[in-house]
Amino acid sequence: MKISSAAIARRLSASAFCAVWFITAGMAFAAEDGGGHHADAVAHGGEHGGGPGLPQLDASTFPSQLFWLAVTFAILYLYFSRKALPEISGVIENRRERVQSDLDTAERLRKDAEKAQGDYEVLLSGARTEATSLMSKAVNTVKEKAEMEMAALREKGLEQIAALESQLTADKKKAMSEMDTIVAEAASQAAEKIIGIKADLGTARSVVQSLHRQEAA
Amino acid sequence: MADPLHQFVIEPIVPLNIGGVDVSFTNSSLWMMASIGVSFVLFNTAMRRKALVPGRLQVLVEMFYQMVSDMVKSTIGPEGRRYFPLIFTIFMLVLMGNLLGLIPYSFTYTSHIIVTAALSFMIFLAVVVIGLARHGVHFLSLFAPAGVPVILYPFLVPIEIISYIARPITHSVRLFANMMAGHIMLKVFAGFSVALITTGAVGVAASAVPVLVNAALIAFELLIALLQAYVFAILACIYLKDTVEIAH
């Protein structure tokens, strides 16, 4: 526990005040005693005739005490029951109600906040799933499209390859058939140059073709 | 040494006689009026603002209210609500009498047996009258505790009756004796210091000791004043409980 110096000072001054007050009261009792000394003696000598009885047992004072006690009690009872106590209970009740209503408001606000939080979370998770599904849909669409295009491209490529291959085969055939002629020409020209025989081109081609056949066989 | 009982002497201030009965306004009556005045000032000042967040005086007054209210509720029960103003008045009347009596030169009306007896017999009579009116003959079962063999009744019932009748006596004597004893003690120590002063220089110095003792006694008497007012009120509650329900 931490006590501030101001609090200590306040406590000290309160204690000092009490001490001074009590001591003053103590001295005042002594003064009262000293002052009343003579009157006391006179009173005892005169009134009570030196009787040592308790003043509380002096029955002659009873009616007066009872009367004024009844008056005091009646006044205090009326005052407390009609005014003071209803006022205090009103204030206390008022405070209790106020505190209760504040607590109720706080509770309501807390519930509202919790509900808002719940709504927000539901919304958020909904948005998240929606976003995920949209995303996957988009990805799928793109993928499908890409595959379709890819397939189209492949088909086209294959067609082109096929076209090229047939072209190539045709060219090759053509080139081969021309080759025979070239070979025959070259052979006839070579025969003419080497041995001086002017070979017939048609004969040369048939020779080449027969060679071809031999080779193929 | 001065008579320590002199402080209890009733002295008429305004002689008054109604129908041959002496009802003079005395020093006792004066301090009863003072207790009314202090109560008025205290409660009116404290409740002037009726603040939601109370100030010091309002806290004090509300503390008295809560204390007596809790006392009534816990000892009598929810039906004790109707006795609350009565108990509160008794508490404040006794408390004011005890506290105002601690002012030097004042008079302590609660140090008189007739005052405390009047209050306690008022409670006693109220209990008997309300109890008989509400419970009829069943109220008398207070004197015959349940679960006791009938053969013991000749012994037990008189004892119960005596202890029941002793209630207002102990109730009033407790407060009266506490107040009287405390004030006599204060007076005796005050008398010591006065007597010491008359014995010379050493006596004057020594007279400080009884004054210091008195200072401590006054602090103690403040506690007693509060405590006895509380005890008087709670006993009144306990006795009034018999009018609400009878345990056996």
Side-chain angles (χ1 to χ4, degrees):
Chain A
M1 202 169 74
K2 236 171 78 178
I3 304 170
S4 72
S5 57
I8 293 173
R10 222 176 308 128
R11 272 173 211 192
L12 276 180
S13 63
S15 314
F17 174 79
C18 285
V20 168
W21 190 66
F22 292 159
I23 290 172
T24 314
M27 292 201 291
F29 277 118
E32 185 188 0
D33 212 36
H37 208 89
H38 283 288
D40 215 30
V42 172
H44 272 274
E47 254 179 68
H48 303 291
L54 270 177
Q56 279 93 333
L57 299 179
D58 179 2
S60 70
T61 65
F62 287 2
S64 154
Q65 289 197 67
L66 288 176
F67 174 76
W68 289 105
L69 176 67
V71 170
T72 308
F73 191 89
I75 293 174
L76 277 181
Y77 184 82
L78 285 178
Y79 173 66
F80 284 133
S81 63
R82 295 282 156 82
K83 183 160 187 294
L85 296 180
E87 265 180 18
I88 301 174
S89 76
V91 167
I92 291 175
E93 188 59 24
N94 195 13
R95 181 180 309 139
R96 204 188 56 75
E97 267 168 22
R98 173 73 183 275
V99 168
Q100 194 54 50
S101 87
D102 283 1
L103 283 178
D104 288 350
T105 309
E107 179 65 14
R108 208 188 60 234
L109 289 176
R110 196 182 61 79
K111 272 188 185 145
D112 284 358
E114 264 174 17
K115 196 170 160 292
Q117 167 103 22
D119 289 355
Y120 164 77
E121 262 161 24
V122 167
L123 263 173
L124 192 65
S125 72
R128 195 173 288 137
T129 42
E130 202 178 339
T132 316
S133 80
L134 273 175
M135 192 74 157
S136 67
K137 207 182 276 175
V139 167
N140 282 346
T141 318
V142 167
K143 208 184 273 173
E144 251 167 50
K145 207 169 157 195
E147 270 169 11
M148 258 158 64
E149 277 177 8
M150 197 75 133
L153 271 177
R154 192 178 298 131
E155 222 165 273
K156 209 169 158 190
L158 285 176
E159 265 171 29
Q160 280 178 351
I161 288 170
L164 277 173
E165 269 177 354
S166 65
Q167 174 95 35
L168 214 58
T169 322
D171 284 356
K172 199 176 171 185
K173 215 173 257 174
K174 197 175 161 204
M176 277 306 194
S177 66
E178 276 173 6
M179 191 67 90
D180 288 354
T181 316
I182 290 168
V183 168
E185 272 176 13
S188 65
Q189 276 172 6
E192 198 181 328
K193 284 230 174 112
I194 297 164
I195 51 176
I197 305 169
K198 202 164 164 55
D200 183 35
L201 198 60
T203 318
R205 190 176 285 147
S206 62
V207 171
V208 170
Q209 274 167 355
S210 71
L211 280 173
H212 256 305
R213 270 193 291 278
Q214 263 181 351
E215 211 175 303
Chain B
M1 197 184 286
D3 180 7
L5 295 180
H6 181 256
Q7 58 178 325
F8 302 120
V9 172
I10 303 263
E11 278 151 3
I13 297 172
V14 182
L16 200 67
N17 201 312
I18 296 177
V21 183
D22 176 27
V23 290
S24 303
F25 189 81
T26 62
N27 50 355
S28 168
S29 326
L30 176 70
W31 286 95
M32 286 182 187
M33 293 299 132
S35 74
I36 296 178
V38 172
S39 300
F40 278 16
V41 171
L42 175 65
F43 280 79
N44 280 339
T45 315
M47 299 311 290
R48 199 181 49 227
R49 281 173 46 239
K50 296 192 180 60
L52 200 66
V53 178
R56 288 172 193 218
L57 266 188
Q58 199 181 329
V59 164
L60 178 75
V61 163
E62 284 183 13
M63 206 178 67
F64 283 147
Y65 181 97
Q66 289 291 1
M67 194 180 89
V68 178
S69 170
D70 290 349
M71 180 205 291
V72 169
K73 226 174 280 169
S74 63
T75 47
I76 308 183
E79 270 202 83
R81 197 67 212 163
R82 84 188 81 167
Y83 297 126
F84 176 54
L86 176 74
I87 300 293
F88 195 84
T89 308
I90 287 175
F91 175 73
M92 286 311 293
L93 185 67
V94 173
L95 182 69
M96 284 295 163
N98 294 353
L99 287 179
L100 293 179
L102 281 176
I103 301 171
Y105 294 97
S106 75
F107 182 88
T108 320
Y109 57 78
T110 44
S111 70
H112 271 255
I113 181 74
I114 187 69
V115 171
T116 60
L119 289 174
S120 58
F121 272 96
M122 179 183 75
I123 298 288
F124 180 76
L125 286 179
V127 170
V128 172
V129 169
I130 299 173
L132 281 175
R134 288 193 63 186
H135 302 291
V137 183
H138 182 59
F139 184 70
L140 296 178
S141 69
L142 269 182
F143 303 121
V148 174
V150 179
I151 198 155
L152 283 177
Y153 277 9
F155 307 100
L156 207 67
V157 172
I159 290 172
E160 287 285 331
I161 290 174
I162 289 169
S163 79
Y164 196 78
I165 290 171
R167 275 180 178 187
I169 298 167
T170 55
H171 194 195
S172 57
V173 168
R174 182 178 295 111
L175 176 59
F176 146 72
N178 264 289
M179 286 302 116
M180 189 178 75
H183 282 263
I184 287 177
M185 215 145 66
L186 287 176
K187 261 292 172 325
V188 166
F189 277 96
F192 279 165
S193 48
V194 172
L196 279 169
I197 286 172
T198 58
T199 61
V202 180
V204 171
S207 72
V209 176
V211 168
L212 288 176
V213 172
N214 244 4
L217 278 179
I218 288 167
F220 185 63
E221 283 299 311
L222 273 177
L223 174 72
I224 298 279
L226 251 170
L227 193 70
Q228 286 303 322
Y230 183 81
V231 166
F232 198 87
I234 204 166
L235 282 173
C237 287
I238 291 170
Y239 299 156
L240 278 169
K241 187 183 176 11
D242 287 343
T243 66
V244 173
E245 54 168 297
I246 295 171
H248 36 262

